[in-house]
Amino acid sequence: MKSIQLKMIITLALALILLVSVIAYAVPDEARESAAAGTSVPQETEEPISTEVPAGTSEAGATPDAELKTTQSTPEGTFFSEDNIPSKESIVISTVTDLQKIGQDEAYPLDGNYILANNIDGGGMAFAPIGSIDTPFSGTFDGSGHMVANLQIADGGLFANLSGTVHSLELKDISVKAADTAGVLAGTVSGSAEIADVFITGTITLSEEHPENVMAGGLAGVVENAAKIQNTQAYVEINEIQDMDKLVGALVGNNKAVPETYSGCTWSPSYTGQAFGLDSTVNKSEGAATIQSAPSYVTLMTGGKSQQVTADTENAAVRGLAFREWTTGGELFKLAGGQTETATVTSENEQGAGNLTAVYEKIWADQSKTQIYFPVPVIISENTGGEQPLEPVDPVFPTEIEQITEVKPLDGVFPTLIETDIRIIKNPVDTTGSAGEKVTFSVEAQGEALLYQWQVSADGGSTWTDIEGAAGREYTFAATPEDNGKQFRCAVSGK
């Protein structure tokens, strides 16, 4: 019997709704409603799907003392898929010169298997991308946990086009100039490429001559297709050029791969505002996330109001990052306990928006250290003497705070501004059940003359249909395989 996972969208009735992985809304009297939606996901096994990210980490292979080539076995737990286990001799890479030979020397073919024997520091030297857009690297590159640092690349990336496998590699302070398509690891990722356990820092400088042609991301400029991209992090500074952010992303500029391609990947809004370019064919994936504090944003009234915020040290540690401190710029609010995991933010007398920053530390393979930043938006609004449930319009970089007086729809990326007296008391929760098993979603709301209507969508939320007879606070039904991929929500109206 197949297991079916039904994922509810959390119901929140606030003056401003943050766009999160689970959402809901409430509307004014003429069309006042709160939505609580859920998605059912097809499963291939009898057990409910796990939300844990598999380790998939490759162990470093042994390095021969004198020979250039050696036979490299595949250690237990390595990332390779069954049809991608290297069967050829692995070519040892120990210098920048060795690295640059790939694809340029007959002894270093683009479909070869390579193993990095030690850390490499290019000292800022110029480096030509491996392969080309028409002749991709289709072999295997095992970084063995080592680091490649300080290279200057003109367009493309370390690989111009990657259709093979790269894993267990650190790329530190790599500089790329992007006249066209560029990423630190690769300009383009294509075919059945597999990427795992890659950690990236550096800079990408975008060209101002032809901004409409640029696709840039910390990992790759464009991902045409890939088999897997797992446990990969990119913290790359990308310069801002006006009207040129549609195909620029912290991970990928133009992502065409399905969301399931990504798992355990991490990025930070401190470097680029979104994981994938906004105009990407696919611009969202649950497998690409940031490290968020608790709470993920802070809203305070003026006049010395305080709130605590705690760093997510557990998720950071899984990603090889250690918490160091909290920092803040400006004088919009005071910070106490900045050297501890839990700090206190206290408002002053001025309204505005700013960022509290959680600072983590990455220790590289050569034991050098780099600070990695994750922002926490802080909103200070005027204290009018009563409760004002204000939230940032943009959960990453808040841009406006105002007294809400009317419904103002924004766009498909950001939430909707609302005014409502309805309060959601209890949100629906995610539910996993087997085919034929009864599943119940419920919502509790506070208000006068409340009416409930559950709805279903079979096209990803583009259109919604009322469910006949589902007009109560709870909706119970027997799950079937046909429910996979559908979304459910409840519209709550009243005074």
Side-chain angles (χ1 to χ4, degrees):
M1 183 177 295
K2 291 187 176 180
S3 175
I4 298 172
Q5 186 181 64
L6 302 174
K7 188 174 182 182
M8 289 302 302
I9 294 180
I10 292 178
T11 307
L12 297 176
L14 298 171
L16 283 171
I17 300 299
L18 280 174
L19 185 66
V20 293
S21 61
V22 281
I23 60 172
Y25 57 86
V27 298
D29 290 338
E30 59 268 26
R32 192 180 300 251
E33 61 180 23
S34 287
T39 304
S40 55
V41 182
Q43 301 297 317
E44 295 297 331
T45 67
E46 295 295 332
E47 297 297 327
I49 190 169
S50 171
T51 59
E52 294 183 356
V53 178
T57 303
S58 297
E59 298 294 333
T63 304
D65 294 330
E67 295 182 357
L68 181 62
K69 298 183 181 181
T70 185
T71 300
Q72 175 66 17
S73 62
T74 304
E76 182 180 357
T78 192
F79 170 75
F80 295 113
S81 61
E82 292 181 359
D83 58 354
N84 202 19
I85 298 176
S87 57
K88 304 177 181 179
E89 288 185 330
S90 291
I91 302 173
V92 175
I93 300 296
S94 57
T95 67
V96 176
T97 302
D98 293 342
L99 191 64
Q100 190 67 91
K101 287 180 181 179
I102 300 176
Q104 298 183 16
D105 187 310
E106 291 184 359
Y108 293 76
L110 288 172
D111 63 351
N113 296 322
Y114 297 89
I115 183 168
L116 189 60
N118 46 256
N119 299 323
I120 294 176
D121 191 329
M125 70 174 290
F127 186 88
I130 297 170
S132 69
I133 190 64
D134 296 323
T135 54
F137 176 81
S138 57
T140 296
F141 193 95
D142 178 1
S144 296
H146 294 308
M147 175 187 74
V148 174
N150 297 311
L151 296 178
Q152 301 281 338
I153 303 174
D155 225 0
L158 184 67
F159 299 92
N161 186 351
L162 172 63
S163 63
T165 296
V166 175
H167 67 99
S168 306
L169 177 65
E170 295 183 346
L171 297 177
K172 177 185 177 185
D173 296 341
I174 306 297
S175 176
V176 180
K177 290 186 178 180
D180 190 356
T181 302
V184 172
L185 178 65
T188 298
V189 173
S190 61
S192 57
E194 296 187 0
I195 301 170
D197 303 305
V198 177
F199 194 104
I200 303 168
T201 66
T203 60
I204 295 178
T205 303
L206 303 177
S207 170
E208 298 189 31
E209 296 180 3
H210 305 288
E212 69 280 0
N213 297 328
V214 173
M215 295 182 290
L219 171 67
V222 57
V223 174
E224 297 284 353
N225 196 19
K228 298 177 183 178
I229 300 178
Q230 296 180 345
N231 305 333
T232 292
Q233 304 178 61
Y235 308 106
V236 177
E237 297 280 359
I238 304 178
N239 67 309
E240 295 182 3
I241 297 179
Q242 188 174 3
D243 300 325
M244 199 181 71
D245 61 349
K246 299 302 183 182
L247 289 177
V248 175
L251 287 173
V252 180
N254 186 7
N255 176 53
K256 301 180 182 181
V258 297
E260 294 77 16
T261 302
Y262 299 86
S263 64
C265 295
T266 311
W267 62 284
S268 171
S270 288
Y271 301 86
T272 304
Q274 58 279 333
F276 308 115
L278 295 177
D279 281 354
S280 288
T281 304
V282 178
N283 61 17
K284 294 179 183 178
S285 172
E286 292 184 1
T290 67
I291 296 177
Q292 293 188 333
S293 67
S296 59
Y297 62 91
V298 175
T299 58
L300 295 171
M301 299 297 174
T302 56
K305 303 298 182 181
S306 298
Q307 184 172 341
Q308 288 188 328
V309 59
T310 302
D312 189 351
T313 57
E314 182 176 349
N315 278 327
V318 170
R319 290 158 175 79
L321 301 174
F323 175 78
R324 285 294 169 259
E325 62 179 344
W326 294 97
T327 63
T328 180
E331 300 179 353
L332 185 63
F333 54 87
K334 293 180 180 179
L335 176 65
Q339 303 301 313
T340 62
E341 295 175 7
T342 298
T344 301
V345 178
T346 302
S347 66
E348 297 282 11
N349 295 316
E350 183 180 351
Q351 302 178 65
N355 277 332
L356 176 67
T357 300
V359 181
Y360 296 86
E361 188 173 78
K362 159 68 176 177
I363 300 179
W364 296 89
D366 66 349
Q367 300 306 304
S368 60
K369 299 177 181 179
T370 296
Q371 291 185 340
I372 306 296
Y373 307 100
F374 291 87
V376 179
V378 178
I379 309 300
I380 309 296
S381 57
E382 183 179 3
N383 192 341
T384 60
E387 290 292 330
Q388 303 292 324
L390 299 177
E391 291 181 300
V393 172
D394 182 336
V396 176
F397 297 107
T399 55
E400 78 178 83
I401 303 174
E402 61 181 359
Q403 184 67 35
I404 306 305
T405 57
E406 61 180 321
V407 173
K408 295 181 180 180
L410 299 180
D411 57 32
V413 176
F414 300 104
T416 302
L417 311 184
I418 59 173
E419 180 186 29
T420 178
D421 292 328
I422 295 177
R423 297 291 182 267
I424 304 303
I425 306 303
K426 181 180 179 181
N427 294 308
V429 295
D430 291 353
T431 301
T432 300
S434 301
E437 182 180 345
K438 287 188 177 181
V439 175
T440 298
F441 295 139
S442 66
V443 60
E444 292 185 10
Q446 184 180 72
E448 297 181 12
L450 295 179
L451 298 175
Y452 302 85
Q453 178 59 61
W454 289 88
Q455 300 173 332
V456 62
S457 173
D459 57 3
S462 297
T463 58
W464 294 89
T465 303
D466 288 349
I467 301 174
E468 185 176 356
R473 187 181 62 81
E474 294 185 349
Y475 172 50
T476 300
F477 63 100
T480 68
E482 288 72 26
D483 291 321
N484 285 327
K486 292 183 180 179
Q487 291 183 316
F488 298 85
R489 74 180 186 183
C490 181
V492 182
S493 61
K495 297 182 180 180

